[in-house]
């Protein structure tokens, strides 16, 4: 009867093993926030510095998070953040880049 007290997570897409992982959760949250910032600011040409830097940092943080992630829930959030960061980074680079107009004239 002990199995009645345990939740069935085996069939869930976001199945977890029940352990608390603050580092992985923090990296996932930071990647998602940076991805959102990078993606949203990519619609404004004048914000290319913020867009490209947020995208680059989001890609680096997300890649490290993918490397140490252990559950599907973490990987799903990281992939969404990485995708948004990548799109924002590339649009920011196309609009002026990381140092556009500040270095090298």
């Amino acid at each position: 009867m002990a199995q009645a007290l345990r939740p069935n997570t085996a069939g869930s897409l976001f199945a977890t093993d029940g352990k608390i992982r603050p580092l992985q959760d923090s990296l996932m949250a930071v990647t998602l926030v940076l991805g959102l910032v990078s993606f949203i600011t990519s619609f404004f040409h004048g914000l290319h510095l913020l867009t490209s830097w947020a995208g680059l940092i989001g890609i680096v943080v997300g890649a490290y998070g993918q490397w140490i992630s252990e559950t599907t829930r973490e990987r799903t959030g990281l992939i969404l953040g990485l995708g948004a960061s990548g799109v924002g980074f590339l649009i920011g680079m196309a609009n002026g880049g990381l140092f556009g107009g500040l270095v090298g004239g």
Side-chain angles (χ1 to χ4, degrees), residues 29-78:
V30 168
T31 303
L32 283 168
V33 168
L34 287 171
L36 222 82
V37 167
S38 179
F39 183 75
I40 291 172
T41 58
S42 70
F43 293 109
F44 305 99
H45 181 73
L47 296 177
H48 64 85
L49 289 173
L50 175 62
T51 300
S52 54
W53 279 106
L56 180 63
I57 295 169
I59 290 169
V60 171
V61 171
Y64 179 68
Q66 278 289 77
W67 186 41
I68 66 170
S69 68
E70 296 184 22
T71 64
T72 304
R73 180 183 59 83
E74 295 162 359
R75 291 180 184 128
T76 302
L78 286 165

